[in-house]
Amino acid sequence: EATLDLAERRRIRSAIRELQRQELERDEEALASKRFRTERSSHRQEDKENWPRSRHLEEEQKAALAALSQQLEAITDVEELTKLLRAAGEYEERKLIRAAIRKLRAEEIEAATLAENMRSSQ
């Protein structure tokens, strides 16, 4: 407020904003390092002990998702897929089902477009 030059005021305000942004970044980094430091060290031993079990669960989940993917390939009804989507509990399952729904809808649109093109060419 002491200077009357508007350009200088803009430079001062932008410098103040930059300093505030840098201070916020430093604070966030400090918080993140404090927040995760104790969590990492306390779970290391636990992770080592549970690793074979978690590995086994991960393999089971991959097998279940592969089976679901094959099952979804056979379904050609969007309503049936929607029912499966509502019943699904896991994120990965819902993700696969939504992809199957998008694929079916794209095929329906493509078929309708081809039919329209055939009609218009005749």
Side-chain angles (χ1 to χ4, degrees):
E1 294 178 16
T3 182
L4 296 177
D5 185 18
L6 293 178
E8 187 176 354
R9 282 185 177 188
R10 279 190 215 115
R11 284 193 303 270
I12 292 170
R13 280 195 298 261
S14 66
I16 290 171
R17 279 193 297 271
E18 179 63 24
L19 288 173
Q20 288 171 337
R21 186 189 60 76
Q22 289 173 357
E23 186 178 356
L24 277 174
E25 285 178 357
R26 281 193 304 271
D27 291 346
E28 287 173 355
E29 288 173 6
L31 271 176
S33 67
K34 287 179 184 177
R35 185 179 304 141
F36 296 114
R37 187 178 314 134
T38 57
E39 189 174 310
R40 271 189 250 139
S41 62
S42 67
H43 289 296
R44 277 194 187 141
Q45 186 62 32
E46 194 176 306
D47 288 345
K48 287 180 184 177
E49 293 169 358
N50 293 329
W51 186 78
R53 182 172 175 234
S54 66
R55 185 83 165 153
H56 179 69
L57 290 174
E58 185 178 314
E59 290 172 1
E60 284 180 357
Q61 184 181 21
K62 283 183 182 179
L65 288 174
L68 177 64
S69 181
Q70 290 176 350
Q71 179 186 358
L72 293 175
E73 289 291 325
I75 299 174
T76 58
D77 184 26
V78 174
E79 291 177 16
E80 189 175 342
L81 287 172
T82 305
K83 288 178 187 176
L84 282 174
L85 180 63
R86 289 185 182 131
E90 293 292 320
Y91 169 77
E92 292 296 326
E93 290 175 0
R94 292 191 308 268
K95 185 176 167 182
L96 282 174
I97 296 168
R98 283 192 300 270
I101 290 172
R102 282 192 299 272
K103 181 181 173 189
L104 276 179
R105 287 184 178 155
E107 289 172 358
E108 289 174 357
I109 291 170
E110 184 178 335
T113 304
L114 286 174
E116 183 64 31
N117 289 341
M118 294 293 287
R119 278 189 232 131
S120 65
S121 66
Q122 291 176 353

